[in-house]
Amino acid sequence: MNSSFFIYISGMKRKIRQERESEIIEGFYQLAKEVGLENASIAKIGKFLNIPPSLIMHYFPNRDFLIQALIRYILEHYQLIYEPIIEHLNVSHKLDVQELVGRLFSREWNLLFDDGVFYSCYALIFRDKSIRAAYKNLHLALRRTLEDILNQDSAFAEMDTRQLAEQIYVVVEGAYYYLAMIDDEEEYQEKLQYFKKQVLGLLQDEVNAEFRR
Amino acid sequence: MNSSFFIYISGMKRKIRQERESEIIEGFYQLAKEVGLENASIAKIGKFLNIPPSLIMHYFPNRDFLIQALIRYILEHYQLIYEPIIEHLNVSHKLDVQELVGRLFSREWNLLFDDGVFYSCYALIFRDKSIRAAYKNLHLALRRTLEDILNQDSAFAEMDTRQLAEQIYVVVEGAYYYLAMIDDEEEYQEKLQYFKKQVLGLLQDEVNAEFRR
DNA sequence: CTTAATATTGAATGAACATTCAATAAATAT
DNA sequence: ATATTTATTGAATGTTCATTCAATATTAAG
């Protein structure tokens, strides 16, 4: 064995480690989805995955490491699922705004992602600076992606696309927050239309564009 | 017994009960603010208030009752603090839109209210139908209040004020969600301006008003 | 093949948890 | 004044918690 400071784990062992860590975090996420983050204990994760709790602690020294890893997992997946949806619009000079708005509010990706765990973790930003920073990074990245898309269309050349991206996302995120409270499908669709129209208004509002500069 | 210093009104017991219950819920809220909802145990609430945990259970048979009462407390106070801020605009035919927007995004009320506990409880809407309904009721009430204010000004007579209130609040709530991630004061103010302008745009956008009808 | 490092197991730890209980104190009703 | 109801206390319950530990199995290195 070499004597460097770094723990060198070769081949198989490294793979085992990576796979176990992933398995544990995914199990943690799945369980939190079912019983709530506050009830997803290490013992329960072990039972859920059929491994002893001590194995979990072998990879994650304490609960905080587990939470940090869960948040990394959630934010990575949020971005991984969401960004391609708006990224692959293939803007050939002219952006299809209807299509963009449709994708921003798409419920498809919503089905792939559970909001309960996301907001439980979000609530942690108020007491943990590093979690706050991680959440901020995700939200900035989403805005930058949208900004880039807008910049590809010359129609927005005169507009402050950074501001526009901020304004669009604040509606999208406010809508997700609010619509989660609404069970009735008809009411849901009605309000969703309000917000889609609102974003379309932002994108088409050339008068405002000048006013805002 | 010597009761010379105390005035014993009839129904003293009821008063004791009400005050104890309030004390416990307020203590629960204060503690949750400090250590997080997930760490605010009954034992800790007892220690925080210098009462035995069994007294807490005398008034709240189990933890669920305590959570339900906390959410009632939070939502009532949210409304109690927030509504007067926008309600007492004293619309004398002409609404001061600048003033309205200023109040909607006022940081004052934000200081009176801790968002960590609010969002921790919000996360519960995804698994609890009655909590979801309670949150929805609050958000509908806020929108109705704003709608009433808009209706008092004849300038909005031709507009769909219900839709407008929905669109305004989705920005306000999206902004609160997003701005909580931002520590830097300058950046915070810059983005806050974006969102204030956005709401002003909604209020002044008469062209859109027709388009939306 | 031997040794060292890592992976996995299951049992054990003490602390914290929600909750119960019996006893006492205070307030109200009779 | 006495009886009844409610408020309060503190000790005790059994459970679950995160975490530790020693043992065994597997894999890598020499």
Side-chain angles (χ1 to χ4, degrees), chain B residues 93-182:
Chain B
H93 295 295
K94 200 70 202 163
L95 176 67
D96 185 345
V97 285
Q98 292 281 347
E99 178 68 17
L100 171 65
V101 172
R103 292 194 188 190
L104 282 169
F105 290 97
S106 158
R107 242 176 154 178
E108 285 173 56
W109 88 275
N110 214 0
L111 296 174
L112 297 169
F113 204 82
D114 181 75
D115 293 298
V117 186
F118 182 81
Y119 282 107
S120 285
C121 291
Y122 170 81
L124 300 177
I125 73 165
F126 293 93
R127 281 176 300 118
D128 188 311
K129 201 167 182 172
S130 76
I131 296 177
R132 188 159 63 246
Y135 263 80
K136 188 191 165 188
N137 281 342
L138 165 71
H139 287 76
L140 286 185
L142 293 176
R143 279 153 178 80
R144 295 239 175 80
T145 302
L146 178 57
E147 189 186 336
D148 289 344
I149 288 171
L150 296 175
N151 282 337
Q152 286 173 50
D153 187 336
S154 55
F156 299 102
E158 294 296 308
M159 291 180 82
D160 184 345
T161 51
R162 190 155 101 80
Q163 176 183 251
L164 193 53
E166 292 278 6
Q167 291 178 335
I168 289 172
Y169 261 112
V170 101
V171 177
V172 172
E173 286 153 7
Y176 273 118
Y177 163 85
Y178 178 54
L179 292 172
M181 301 170 200
I182 292 160

Side-chain angles (χ1 to χ4, degrees), chain B residues 21-156:
Chain B
E21 286 176 352
S22 297
E23 183 196 5
I24 290 166
I25 295 302
E26 275 165 37
F28 186 18
Y29 173 72
Q30 290 297 331
L31 187 64
K33 211 159 111 171
E34 288 174 25
V35 301
L37 185 64
E38 66 278 15
N39 299 315
S41 66
I42 293 172
K44 281 182 190 158
I45 300 168
K47 201 171 254 179
F48 186 76
L49 294 173
N50 272 312
I51 55 174
S54 51
L55 185 56
I56 296 170
M57 308 227 55
H58 174 68
Y59 291 104
F60 302 94
N62 61 53
R63 192 160 212 277
D64 280 342
F65 282 77
L66 212 48
I67 295 274
Q68 291 283 346
L70 177 69
I71 287 171
R72 244 179 288 124
Y73 171 84
I74 285 177
L75 298 186
E76 274 168 20
H77 279 243
Y78 192 106
Q79 198 162 359
L80 234 58
I81 294 170
Y82 196 63
E83 278 206 319
I85 291 177
I86 62 160
E87 216 167 21
H88 295 336
L89 277 165
N90 237 332
V91 182
S92 45
H93 295 295
K94 200 70 202 163
L95 176 67
D96 185 345
V97 285
Q98 292 281 347
E99 178 68 17
L100 171 65
V101 172
R103 292 194 188 190
L104 282 169
F105 290 97
S106 158
R107 242 176 154 178
E108 285 173 56
W109 88 275
N110 214 0
L111 296 174
L112 297 169
F113 204 82
D114 181 75
D115 293 298
V117 186
F118 182 81
Y119 282 107
S120 285
C121 291
Y122 170 81
L124 300 177
I125 73 165
F126 293 93
R127 281 176 300 118
D128 188 311
K129 201 167 182 172
S130 76
I131 296 177
R132 188 159 63 246
Y135 263 80
K136 188 191 165 188
N137 281 342
L138 165 71
H139 287 76
L140 286 185
L142 293 176
R143 279 153 178 80
R144 295 239 175 80
T145 302
L146 178 57
E147 189 186 336
D148 289 344
I149 288 171
L150 296 175
N151 282 337
Q152 286 173 50
D153 187 336
S154 55
F156 299 102

